C-alpha cells in the first residue's frame, strides 16, 4: 500500500483492504522463506520444499486459525486491483471483455468509495483518484 503509507492515511475497518479484513493475512505472516527450497511454518516450525506444500499444510493443519469472522480473500478484488499485471504478463494480451470490464470498474469504484471517501478531505480525495 505505498500510496496509502505515503499519505500516512489510516484505512477504516469498513474498507476491504484493511489488514483485519484479510482472510489469509495471519497465515502469510507465518510463512517463512528460509532458503530457496525451504519454507517454514511459523505456527509449528515444520519445513517444506515448496511454498505450495506449505499452503496445503496451512489448509490441512491450521485452517482453524483463519480469520473467518470478517476476513475475506483479497484475491476476490483482483479484477479491480489488476493482480494479472503482477502475476502473469501474458494475460495482458487477452481480449477485453466489456461485461467483465464493467464489473471490474464497478468493483474498483465501490472499493475507492468505501476505502477513500472523497468527502473526508484532500488526502482521501487524492487516494480516491489513484
Ligand atoms: Zn504448521
Amino acid at each position: 500500500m505505498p500510496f496509502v503509507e505515503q499519505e500516512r492515511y489510516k484505512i477504516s475497518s469498513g474498507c476491504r483492504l484493511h489488514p483485519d479484513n484479510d482472510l489469509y493475512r495471519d497465515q502469510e505472516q507465518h510463512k517463512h522463506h528460509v532458503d530457496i527450497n525451504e519454507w517454514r511454518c511459523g505456527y509449528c516450525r515444520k519445513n517444506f520444499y515448496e511454498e505450495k506444500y506449505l499452503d496445503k499444510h496451512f489448509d490441512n493443519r491450521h485452517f482453524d486459525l483463519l480469520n473467518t469472522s470478517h476476513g475475506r480473500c483479497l484475491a476476490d478484488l483482483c479484477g479491480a486491483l489488476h493482480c494479472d499485471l503482477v502475476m502473469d504478463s501474458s494475460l495482458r494480451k487477452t481480449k477485453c471483455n466489456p461485461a467483465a470490464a464493467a464489473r471490474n470498474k464497478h468493483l474498483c469504484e465501490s472499493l475507492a468509495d468505501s476505502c477513500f471517501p472523497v468527502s473526508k478531505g484532500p488526502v482521501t480525495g487524492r487516494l480516491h483518484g489513484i
Side-chain angles (χ1 to χ4, degrees), residues 45-89:
R45 319 297 292 164
K46 202 173 173 193
N47 287 335
F48 301 87
Y49 292 109
E50 285 184 54
E51 185 179 10
K52 65 179 176 183
Y53 298 119
L54 177 54
D55 284 331
K56 275 199 165 90
H57 169 77
F58 282 150
D59 285 347
N60 294 330
R61 301 285 174 180
H62 305 299
F63 62 89
D64 52 322
L65 300 171
L66 284 177
N67 170 18
T68 51
S69 57
H70 52 280
R72 285 157 78 186
C73 183
L74 275 181
D76 295 345
L77 304 173
C78 271
L81 300 177
H82 270 295
C83 306
D84 52 333
L85 296 181
V86 181
M87 303 293 284
D88 184 359
S89 55

Side-chain angles (χ1 to χ4, degrees), residues 70-121:
H70 52 280
R72 285 157 78 186
C73 183
L74 275 181
D76 295 345
L77 304 173
C78 271
L81 300 177
H82 270 295
C83 306
D84 52 333
L85 296 181
V86 181
M87 303 293 284
D88 184 359
S89 55
S90 67
L91 290 173
R92 257 182 258 195
K93 291 176 182 122
T94 54
K95 250 186 165 176
C96 181
N97 171 343
R103 268 198 312 276
N104 289 337
K105 183 171 184 262
H106 179 74
L107 179 62
C108 182
E109 285 170 350
S110 66
L111 203 56
D113 289 342
S114 66
C115 297
F116 314 113
V118 179
S119 59
K120 277 186 80 180

Side-chain angles (χ1 to χ4, degrees), residues 41 43-44 57 62:
C41 172
Y43 297 116
C44 69
H57 169 77
H62 305 299

